[in-house]
Amino acid sequence: MLDKKVAELLNEQINAEFYSAYLYLDFSIYYAEEGLDGFANWYKIQAQEERDHAMLMLEYMQNNGEKVTLNAIAKPDKECSTLKDPLEFSLEHERYVTSLIHNIYDAAHAVKDYRTMQFLDWFVKEQGEEEKNAEDMVKKFELFGQDPKSLYMLDNEMSSRTHSEPELTL
Ligand code: FEO
């Protein structure tokens, strides 16, 4: 069993990760509609990664004898009116998710829950990568997004992203 507050926050994080998947799927749909299939692919893979994060949280809860409650996933609420919008929204969102992970870490630390802290270490590192990816996407778009030929090449680059299982064993 876990501390009540830690378990509550982990349960909320499952929902937050599924929401992230939903949000990125929405961005994937947006780019597909705009004809940028590479960007659409990149976000579809990102949505898969977010689902992986949710499942890791879920399995961790179960492994610790905690009841998991699946709550409603909110409708993605970001209105994209330019091709750069999803990239900026993503960066903002990943910074927010980092704060959520840190908050759970703080709660675990407060009750000397070293096991959960160790579990969350992977997510702390992962958030560093997620923020860096989001920053890189914004930068690349600022550099190359205005020129159609460069945008075409950037879109091609995005199309090569594939899904890989998270390197975390529970
Ligand atoms: Fe699950 Fe993008 O953080």
Coordinates of all heavy atoms in Angstrom, one line a residue, residues 13 16-17 20 24 46 49-51 53-54 90 93-94 97-98 101 122-123 126-127 130-131, ligand 1:
Q13 N -2.5 11.3 -12.0 CA -1.5 11.3 -13.1 C -1.8 10.4 -14.2 O -1.5 10.7 -15.4 CB 0.0 11.1 -12.5 CG 1.1 11.4 -13.5 CD 1.1 12.9 -13.9 OE1 0.7 13.8 -13.1 NE2 1.5 13.2 -15.1
A16 N -3.9 12.3 -16.3 CA -3.2 13.4 -17.0 C -2.4 12.9 -18.1 O -2.3 13.5 -19.2 CB -2.2 14.1 -16.0
E17 N -1.9 11.7 -18.0 CA -1.1 11.1 -19.1 C -2.1 10.7 -20.3 O -1.7 10.9 -21.4 CB -0.3 9.8 -18.6 CG 0.7 10.1 -17.6 CD 1.9 11.0 -18.0 OE1 2.1 11.1 -19.2 OE2 2.6 11.5 -17.1
S20 N -2.8 13.8 -22.0 CA -1.7 14.2 -22.9 C -1.8 13.4 -24.2 O -1.7 13.9 -25.3 CB -0.4 13.9 -22.3 OG -0.2 14.6 -21.1
Y24 N -2.3 15.1 -27.9 CA -1.4 14.9 -29.0 C -2.0 14.3 -30.2 O -1.7 14.5 -31.3 CB -0.1 14.2 -28.5 CG 0.7 15.0 -27.5 CD1 1.3 14.5 -26.4 CD2 0.8 16.4 -27.7 CE1 2.1 15.2 -25.5 CE2 1.5 17.2 -26.8 CZ 2.2 16.6 -25.7 OH 2.9 17.4 -24.9
Q46 N 3.8 10.3 -30.4 CA 3.8 11.0 -29.0 C 2.6 10.5 -28.2 O 2.7 10.3 -27.0 CB 3.8 12.5 -29.2 CG 4.1 13.3 -27.9 CD 5.5 12.9 -27.3 OE1 6.4 12.5 -28.0 NE2 5.5 13.0 -26.0
E49 N 3.3 7.2 -26.8 CA 4.2 7.3 -25.6 C 3.4 7.8 -24.4 O 3.7 7.3 -23.3 CB 5.3 8.3 -25.9 CG 6.4 7.8 -26.8 CD 7.7 8.5 -26.6 OE1 7.8 9.4 -25.8 OE2 8.7 8.1 -27.3
E50 N 2.5 8.7 -24.5 CA 1.7 9.2 -23.4 C 0.9 8.0 -22.8 O 0.7 7.9 -21.6 CB 0.9 10.4 -23.7 CG 1.7 11.6 -24.2 CD 2.7 12.1 -23.2 OE1 2.6 11.7 -22.0 OE2 3.5 12.9 -23.5
R51 N 0.3 7.2 -23.7 CA -0.4 6.1 -23.2 C 0.5 5.1 -22.4 O 0.1 4.6 -21.4 CB -1.1 5.3 -24.4 CG -1.9 4.2 -24.0 CD -2.4 3.3 -25.2 NE -2.9 2.1 -24.8 CZ -2.3 1.0 -24.4 NH1 -0.9 1.0 -24.4 NH2 -2.9 -0.1 -24.0
H53 N 3.0 6.0 -20.7 CA 3.3 6.6 -19.4 C 2.1 6.3 -18.4 O 2.3 5.9 -17.3 CB 3.4 8.1 -19.5 CG 4.6 8.5 -20.3 ND1 4.8 9.8 -20.7 CD2 5.7 7.8 -20.8 CE1 5.9 9.9 -21.4 NE2 6.5 8.7 -21.5
A54 N 0.9 6.4 -19.0 CA -0.3 6.1 -18.2 C -0.3 4.7 -17.7 O -0.6 4.4 -16.5 CB -1.6 6.4 -19.0
S90 N 2.5 22.3 -27.0 CA 3.1 21.1 -26.5 C 4.2 21.5 -25.5 O 4.3 20.8 -24.4 CB 3.8 20.3 -27.6 OG 2.9 20.0 -28.6
H93 N 2.6 22.5 -22.4 CA 1.9 21.4 -21.7 C 3.0 20.5 -21.0 O 2.8 20.0 -19.9 CB 1.1 20.6 -22.7 CG 0.4 19.4 -22.1 ND1 -0.6 19.6 -21.3 CD2 0.6 18.1 -22.2 CE1 -1.1 18.4 -20.8 NE2 -0.3 17.4 -21.4
E94 N 4.1 20.3 -21.7 CA 5.2 19.4 -21.1 C 5.7 20.1 -19.8 O 6.1 19.4 -18.9 CB 6.3 19.1 -22.1 CG 5.8 18.1 -23.2 CD 5.3 16.7 -22.6 OE1 5.7 16.3 -21.5 OE2 4.5 16.1 -23.2
V97 N 3.3 19.3 -17.2 CA 3.4 17.9 -16.8 C 4.6 17.7 -15.9 O 4.5 16.9 -14.9 CB 3.4 16.9 -18.0 CG1 3.7 15.5 -17.5 CG2 2.1 17.0 -18.8
T98 N 5.7 18.3 -16.2 CA 6.9 18.2 -15.3 C 6.5 18.7 -13.9 O 6.9 18.0 -12.9 CB 8.0 19.1 -15.9 OG1 8.4 18.6 -17.2 CG2 9.2 19.1 -15.0
I101 N 4.7 15.9 -12.1 CA 5.5 14.8 -11.7 C 6.3 15.3 -10.4 O 6.5 14.5 -9.5 CB 6.5 14.4 -12.8 CG1 5.7 13.9 -14.1 CG2 7.6 13.4 -12.3 CD1 5.1 12.5 -13.9
W122 N 12.5 7.8 -13.3 CA 12.4 7.6 -14.7 C 11.6 8.8 -15.4 O 12.0 9.3 -16.4 CB 11.8 6.3 -15.1 CG 11.8 6.0 -16.5 CD1 12.8 5.4 -17.3 CD2 10.7 6.3 -17.5 NE1 12.4 5.3 -18.6 CE2 11.2 5.8 -18.7 CE3 9.5 6.8 -17.3 CZ2 10.4 5.9 -19.9 CZ3 8.7 6.9 -18.5 CH2 9.1 6.5 -19.7
F123 N 10.5 9.1 -14.7 CA 9.6 10.2 -15.3 C 10.3 11.5 -15.2 O 10.0 12.4 -16.1 CB 8.3 10.2 -14.5 CG 7.4 9.0 -14.9 CD1 7.5 7.8 -14.2 CD2 6.5 9.1 -15.9 CE1 6.7 6.7 -14.6 CE2 5.7 8.0 -16.3 CZ 5.8 6.8 -15.6
E126 N 12.5 11.5 -18.1 CA 11.7 11.5 -19.3 C 11.2 12.9 -19.6 O 11.1 13.4 -20.7 CB 10.6 10.5 -19.1 CG 9.5 10.5 -20.2 CD 10.0 9.8 -21.5 OE1 11.2 9.3 -21.5 OE2 9.3 9.8 -22.5
Q127 N 10.7 13.6 -18.5 CA 10.2 15.0 -18.7 C 11.3 15.9 -19.2 O 11.0 16.8 -20.0 CB 9.6 15.5 -17.4 CG 8.2 15.0 -17.1 CD 7.3 15.1 -18.3 OE1 6.8 14.1 -18.8 NE2 7.1 16.3 -18.8
E130 N 11.2 15.2 -22.8 CA 10.0 15.7 -23.4 C 10.0 17.2 -23.6 O 9.6 17.7 -24.7 CB 8.8 15.4 -22.5 CG 8.6 13.9 -22.3 CD 7.7 13.2 -23.3 OE1 6.4 13.2 -23.1 OE2 8.2 12.7 -24.4
E131 N 10.6 17.9 -22.6 CA 10.7 19.4 -22.8 C 11.7 19.7 -23.9 O 11.5 20.6 -24.7 CB 11.1 20.0 -21.5 CG 9.9 20.0 -20.5 CD 10.3 20.9 -19.2 OE1 10.9 21.9 -19.4 OE2 9.9 20.5 -18.1
Ligands
FEO1 FE1 3.9 11.8 -20.2 FE2 4.7 14.0 -22.3 O1 4.8 13.4 -20.6

